[in-house]
Amino acid sequence: MAISLSVVLLLAVILVVMIRGGSIKAGPAIVAVLFGFFLASTDIAPSVNRFMNSLADMINQINF
């Protein structure tokens, strides 16, 4: 739960920065958000969730 919440916040911050910086317009940003929302309700959502969890675990294991 903590990982998914922090990923959502990170992606939200990146989206806001991209919109304000002019890298992405509001229309495509809304489409991307809606795509993510509807993707979460499909059968592929658990696979995406497992991939993101394994990616977060891999990043967590990196020692600096």
Side-chain angles (χ1 to χ4, degrees), residues 29-41:
I30 292 170
V31 170
V33 168
L34 288 174
F35 174 73
F37 178 76
F38 287 114
L39 180 66
S41 64

Side-chain angles (χ1 to χ4, degrees), residues 9-30 32-33:
L9 289 175
L10 175 66
L11 292 174
V13 168
I14 291 171
L15 184 62
V16 168
V17 168
M18 289 179 73
I19 290 173
R20 292 190 48 96
S23 298
I24 189 171
K25 301 293 181 200
I30 292 170
V33 168

Side-chain angles (χ1 to χ4, degrees), residues 2 19 29 40-42 48 55 61 64:
I19 290 173
S41 64
T42 63
V48 172
L55 185 64
Q61 292 176 0
F64 292 105

Side-chain angles (χ1 to χ4, degrees), residues 54-64:
S54 64
L55 185 64
D57 289 339
M58 184 179 68
I59 291 171
N60 193 26
Q61 292 176 0
I62 296 174
N63 294 324
F64 292 105

